[in-house]
Amino acid sequence: MWLLDQWAERHILDAQRNGEFSDLPGTGQPLTLDDDTFVPAELRSGYRLLKNAGCLPPELENRKDALALADLLNSIKPDAPEAQEIRRRLTLVELKLQQAGVNTDFLHGDYSDRLFKTPKED
């Protein structure tokens, strides 16, 4: 964990122990996780319909495809016959994402390795 994260976590835990969160408005009530207040009123029903049908915006659909292709590429041998075709398709999807302004570092970084790696015990 980063130093700033540790500092914030410590302050949150201290505030919880001191009861500073116990009398906040809405305590004990369910969260409204489906907030669409920033969507214009005339578009809300259409957005809700598309969301409930499982439709994603093109950028998220391409991101989902890129992750699936990257996982597939990592699961086969680099010299497998289909590896070249998968790499080509992944490059094409990555270019589409970049053209849409989406950062594609998630395809090349070691973020997932660091995420699932347990910290070394000293």
Side-chain angles (χ1 to χ4, degrees), residues 6-122:
Q6 292 173 350
W7 177 82
E9 189 69 24
R10 187 181 68 226
H11 282 285
I12 291 170
L13 292 174
D14 289 343
Q16 283 177 330
R17 277 192 294 269
N18 295 335
E20 295 177 30
F21 296 137
S22 59
D23 60 347
L24 293 174
T27 299
Q29 297 176 1
L31 295 174
T32 305
L33 299 176
D34 212 14
D35 185 19
D36 56 3
T37 55
F38 297 109
V39 176
E42 64 272 6
L43 297 177
R44 286 183 190 156
S45 60
Y47 278 33
R48 174 94 18 125
L49 182 68
L50 289 170
K51 180 182 174 190
N52 290 341
C55 294
L56 291 175
E59 294 83 10
L60 290 180
E61 191 68 44
N62 285 335
R63 181 184 168 96
K64 183 178 165 185
D65 292 344
L67 288 170
L69 287 169
D71 285 344
L72 183 60
L73 197 57
N74 289 333
S75 68
I76 62 174
K77 293 181 179 181
D79 57 345
E82 62 273 6
Q84 183 63 30
E85 176 63 21
I86 295 170
R87 264 190 232 95
R88 187 190 65 75
R89 288 175 48 201
L90 180 59
T91 303
L92 180 63
V93 173
E94 185 176 2
L95 287 172
K96 287 181 184 178
L97 285 168
Q98 289 172 349
Q99 286 177 341
V102 178
N103 188 337
T104 58
D105 288 346
F106 66 94
L107 292 172
H108 305 290
D110 60 341
Y111 177 72
S112 62
D113 295 337
R114 288 186 285 142
L115 184 65
F116 294 111
K117 188 177 184 181
T118 57
K120 293 182 182 179
E121 296 180 16
D122 295 326

